[in-house]
Amino acid sequence: MAKSDIERRFGVSAGNGTAVNTAFSGLIALVLTTIFFAAVHFMPDNYFRAMLLERGPTQHATVFLGFWCIVILLFKRSKLSLQRRALRHAVIPENHEFVLTSHTADHVIRNIHALADDPARFLVYNRILIALSNLKNLGRVSDVDDILRANADRDESAHQTSFATLGGFLWAIPVLGFIGTVLGLAGAIGNFSSLLEKQSDVAGIVGSLKEVTGGLSTAFETTLLALVVALVIQLWITSQRKAEEMFLDDCQDYCLKQIVSRIKILPFEQIREI
């Protein structure tokens, strides 16, 4: 975890599971946005440069939120890959004669700590540690499956929460586009009204319509950029959400095969439960 988690490499507080440190990802997005607009500034005059630099502040905010979402999704992808690595290793000895009881739980716990430097940061290992701690302390194996399911529900809730920030940004990006549209239309209408007051002949009005079309360009191109960014982010979020849901299902299967199927209730445990 210490070597592979991208947030811990930079010495910042890392979120559990696939959760991302919002402030750290926002700082990276701000740096990327600055570099992006600096590169666009030195481009030759063309439609793309004009759309980004000459259509008002909403374009900058849209690009910044877009980069922020991209950074979060890249971090989540990296964290998901790290979490999946835990599923490659068995915590139960390969010996088929091994039976998980309150007496052998310590052996499994030691195996988990030998596999990972910080096993509580791995979702599947954390589930098992909590369940085995209950087994070790209380000697009740009948509740292990219930504990694993409760932890699975908690991880599912945390999974949904980890997408909350992305959902907020995905809502805000089209709104920024609509704000740019309103500002552009307001500017175009204002310019057209002033033209009618200053110009009395048709030729003069036609020659000054460029000021009006500039406002219309702002109106439509801000919405265009926002919708394109929102579409790309939405498709990416859908793919990432599906991948994480599949991982949670794999964690549940792992716990069933590694823990629940290897549990055995000893006679004295049955008596204690009665």
Side-chain angles (χ1 to χ4, degrees):
M1 178 63 70
K3 295 180 180 179
S4 302
D5 188 276
I6 189 169
E7 291 175 339
R8 296 189 65 176
R9 287 186 198 172
F10 286 92
V12 301
S13 176
N16 289 326
T18 60
V20 176
N21 187 309
T22 305
F24 179 59
S25 60
L27 179 62
I28 294 179
L30 181 60
V31 173
L32 292 176
T33 303
T34 303
I35 295 174
F36 174 78
F37 277 104
V40 172
H41 179 76
F42 289 103
M43 291 176 59
D45 290 337
N46 53 41
Y47 172 78
F48 181 73
R49 183 181 186 277
M51 181 179 68
L52 290 172
L53 298 181
E54 301 175 9
R55 300 297 182 257
T58 57
Q59 302 292 73
H60 297 78
T62 297
V63 172
F64 171 61
L65 290 183
F67 272 121
W68 202 342
C69 290
I70 290 173
V71 172
I72 291 177
L73 288 167
L74 287 175
F75 279 14
K76 287 178 73 66
R77 182 179 179 181
S78 174
K79 286 173 172 285
L80 179 61
S81 177
L82 176 60
Q83 292 288 329
R84 277 201 168 276
R85 286 169 56 185
L87 301 179
R88 303 174 189 172
H89 305 281
V91 297
I92 298 292
E94 297 295 335
N95 183 6
H96 294 289
E97 297 179 359
F98 179 85
V99 176
L100 181 59
T101 67
S102 57
H103 299 294
T104 58
D106 278 336
H107 182 68
V108 178
I109 292 175
R110 286 194 298 269
N111 285 347
I112 293 175
H113 283 279
L115 287 172
D117 58 346
D118 191 0
R121 290 283 184 178
F122 291 91
L123 295 182
V124 66
Y125 291 161
N126 187 54
R127 291 186 193 183
I128 296 173
L129 287 175
I130 293 175
L132 294 185
S133 296
N134 176 77
L135 176 61
K136 177 176 173 291
N137 295 330
L138 302 179
R140 292 171 57 93
V141 298
S142 59
D143 293 335
V144 171
D145 187 35
D146 293 335
I147 295 174
L148 289 173
R149 292 182 184 277
N151 283 308
D153 293 339
R154 183 199 61 187
D155 291 339
E156 178 67 27
S157 177
H159 156 73
Q160 298 294 337
T161 303
S162 69
F163 283 91
T165 301
L166 289 170
F169 291 163
L170 192 61
W171 172 86
I173 290 173
V175 171
L176 285 172
F178 297 147
I179 291 175
T181 298
V182 173
L183 293 175
L185 290 176
I189 294 173
N191 290 333
F192 187 71
S193 299
S194 63
L195 287 177
L196 293 179
E197 293 176 358
K198 295 178 182 179
Q199 302 291 342
S200 57
D201 59 322
V202 176
I205 294 176
V206 172
S208 302
L209 281 179
K210 292 183 179 180
E211 299 181 24
V212 178
T213 57
L216 293 177
S217 296
T218 299
F220 294 113
E221 289 176 1
T222 52
T223 301
L224 173 63
L225 177 65
L227 292 179
V228 170
V229 172
L231 175 62
V232 173
I233 297 300
Q234 176 62 65
L235 293 176
W236 196 342
I237 289 176
T238 301
S239 175
Q240 182 65 28
R241 189 188 297 273
K242 180 180 179 182
E244 292 190 18
E245 289 174 352
M246 292 176 62
F247 164 71
L248 293 176
D249 291 338
D250 291 340
C251 285
Q252 193 164 357
D253 292 340
Y254 181 93
C255 291
L256 289 174
K257 294 177 181 178
Q258 289 283 311
I259 302 300
V260 178
S261 64
R262 306 296 291 271
I263 292 176
K264 180 179 180 180
I265 302 178
L266 298 179
F268 82 95
E269 292 175 329
Q270 293 175 339
I271 295 174
R272 288 181 60 181
E273 291 179 0
I274 295 175

